[in-house]
Amino acid sequence: MLIQLQADINPAQKEAIIQKANELKYKITEVITQQGHYLVGTGKADFDVRAVGNLPGIKDLHIVSDDYKLVSRKWKVNPTVIDFGDGLRVKEGEFTIMAGPCSVENEAQVEKTINHLVEQGVRFMRGGVFKPRSSPYSFRGLGLEGLKMFYDMCRAKGIKVVTEVMQVSQIAPMEPYTDVFQVGARNTQNFNLLDELGKVDKPVLLKRGISGTIDELLYSAEYIFSGGNEKLMLCERGIRTYETASRNTLDLNAIPILKEKTHLPVIVDPSHGIGIREYVEPMALAAIMAGADGIIYETHEKPEEAASDGAQTLSFSESERMIKKMQKTFALRKELGN
């Protein structure tokens, strides 16, 4: 069960609720987030909800059969809205675009990308400064100093920074210069990292593991939420299958399934999902029609010269064309009532 507590609950009332739940053989975990105060109860015994639900201090009580209770749509029917201020939100019913290079390389590259995004009305720039690479000899990013430069240039133009965090020790130094912490596919089940991100009052974009199931993605999200951070977005970025014609297999099935299972926004990454530049656009449009709340993709002035992932990165002209098509596709989806 999931118990939402009233904001003005006193310690005696809370203790009475916990004691009653324990009597019903339910183990209680207390969760305090930026937006609510919850008691998560795990157990198997059937009980009359009135035995608990009528106790003072309870705002609402929900029976949630999913093991991932806090991110489940079974208790929170209204979708999560992540508000960045200045009218900038990520939410169901609106469409968000996040774009930028795989890796932040230098000031000139960042400036050109920002100018491209501003011209297209895009408010989120993605870019890695700590890069998890398969080879230790590949470019691994500019580090914290690169992030500071990236952040300052974006802030001057009203752009929000989306960047990947790879380990617990990076969170604190990155936090002042990051608007959205991205958890990459390799770290989706780095539970120590997820626990610590639960303590941060910054949005987190959680990518699906390269071989992870939908439920495993939701379990990982539960770690962050139960740690105290409700500002969560999920990202379908393709999974590894036996197919070798593309880098990964973008799982479009996951989009409507996630929209049914969770109240969290669902963002899709077609760049990593297929890994082939000329196919990024059709996969992005398909993801929109499948119900995605946003698209995150890679763009670079000269993809062939990109420090990483050039094969899946769009040029600025290709990016401009795709943005226009995505906006038309989203408008069509709304017209069709999806």
Side-chain angles (χ1 to χ4, degrees):
M1 62 179 159
L2 180 59
I3 301 169
Q4 291 177 270
L5 301 179
Q6 293 176 353
D8 59 353
I9 190 172
N10 63 52
Q13 291 173 330
K14 185 177 72 174
E15 185 57 36
I17 296 168
I18 294 173
Q19 182 176 344
K20 185 63 178 178
N22 289 339
E23 290 174 4
L24 295 168
K25 302 189 183 305
Y26 274 75
K27 177 185 175 183
I28 293 295
T29 301
E30 184 175 4
V31 175
I32 301 175
T33 72
Q34 309 105 327
Q35 300 174 35
H37 192 171
Y38 310 94
L39 296 178
V40 180
T42 53
K44 296 183 178 179
D46 291 331
F47 65 95
D48 186 340
V49 294
R50 291 171 296 182
V52 180
N54 290 332
L55 294 175
I58 292 180
K59 180 180 179 181
D60 210 346
L61 185 149
H62 311 267
I63 303 301
V64 182
S65 56
D66 297 327
D67 287 338
Y68 39 85
K69 301 185 185 304
L70 291 162
V71 302
S72 173
R73 201 156 198 160
K74 290 182 179 178
W75 76 272
K76 189 176 181 182
V77 178
N78 294 325
T80 287
V81 177
I82 302 177
D83 193 343
F84 291 85
D86 300 324
L88 185 61
R89 303 178 299 181
V90 177
K91 67 182 293 287
E92 190 173 286
E94 296 181 8
F95 183 61
T96 299
I97 299 173
M98 303 175 181
C102 175
S103 301
V104 172
E105 299 165 4
N106 51 59
E107 288 189 19
Q109 174 222 28
V110 172
E111 182 178 16
K112 290 174 182 177
T113 306
I114 288 173
N115 290 339
H116 167 65
L117 298 182
V118 169
E119 288 172 4
Q120 305 307 316
V122 176
R123 299 284 304 280
F124 292 91
M125 181 172 168
R126 57 146 295 146
V129 296
F130 296 105
K131 297 301 300 178
R133 305 301 301 279
S134 298
S135 169
Y137 309 115
S138 299
F139 177 66
R140 298 171 69 183
L142 298 180
L144 186 60
E145 291 307 310
L147 177 60
K148 292 177 181 178
M149 172 270 291
F150 179 26
Y151 179 81
D152 288 343
M153 294 182 71
C154 283
R155 184 48 49 101
K157 294 296 184 72
I159 300 289
K160 302 298 182 183
V161 167
V162 182
T163 194
E164 183 170 356
V165 60
M166 292 172 53
Q167 57 194 47
V168 171
S169 63
Q170 293 171 346
I171 295 175
M174 289 178 67
E175 187 172 0
Y177 312 104
T178 303
D179 296 300
V180 178
F181 280 110
Q182 176 183 300
V183 178
R186 292 175 174 87
N187 276 309
T188 305
Q189 291 186 310
N190 181 344
F191 299 120
N192 291 333
L193 179 63
L194 303 182
D195 280 334
E196 291 303 311
L197 287 170
K199 302 173 185 177
V200 175
D201 190 18
K202 285 283 179 75
V204 175
L205 177 68
L206 178 65
K207 288 196 165 187
R208 183 178 177 184
I210 195 166
S211 300
T213 66
I214 291 171
D215 278 357
E216 285 170 339
L217 174 61
L218 292 169
Y219 286 131
S220 293
E222 189 82 1
Y223 266 86
I224 299 172
F225 199 127
S226 65
N229 190 352
E230 289 194 36
K231 298 177 180 178
L232 266 170
M233 296 172 275
L234 303 179
C235 182
E236 165 56 41
R237 48 80 66 205
I239 53 176
R240 177 173 290 169
T241 67
Y242 52 78
E243 183 54 70
T244 59
S246 58
R247 177 175 178 176
N248 294 299
T249 298
L250 185 62
D251 185 8
L252 295 176
N253 295 343
I255 302 167
I257 292 173
L258 284 169
K259 296 298 295 180
E260 181 180 7
K261 283 180 172 285
T262 181
H263 52 83
L264 300 175
V266 177
I267 309 297
V268 173
D269 178 351
S271 296
H272 286 87
I274 194 161
I276 303 170
R277 183 182 306 140
E278 53 264 42
Y279 302 143
V280 169
E281 181 184 292
M283 297 312 296
L285 302 183
I288 293 169
M289 291 307 294
D293 299 307
I295 297 292
I296 182 170
Y297 68 94
E298 293 178 348
T299 185
H300 191 287
E301 182 189 22
K302 298 178 179 178
E304 63 279 2
E305 297 179 8
S308 54
D309 281 356
Q312 65 190 36
T313 300
L314 303 186
S315 67
F316 288 167
S317 60
E318 291 167 332
S319 170
E320 179 180 358
R321 183 185 68 187
M322 188 171 85
I323 288 171
K324 291 176 180 177
K325 287 189 177 182
M326 287 194 297
Q327 291 168 339
K328 290 179 180 179
T329 302
F330 180 68
L332 175 61
R333 190 181 91 188
K334 290 184 70 174
E335 183 181 330
L336 294 173
N338 295 331

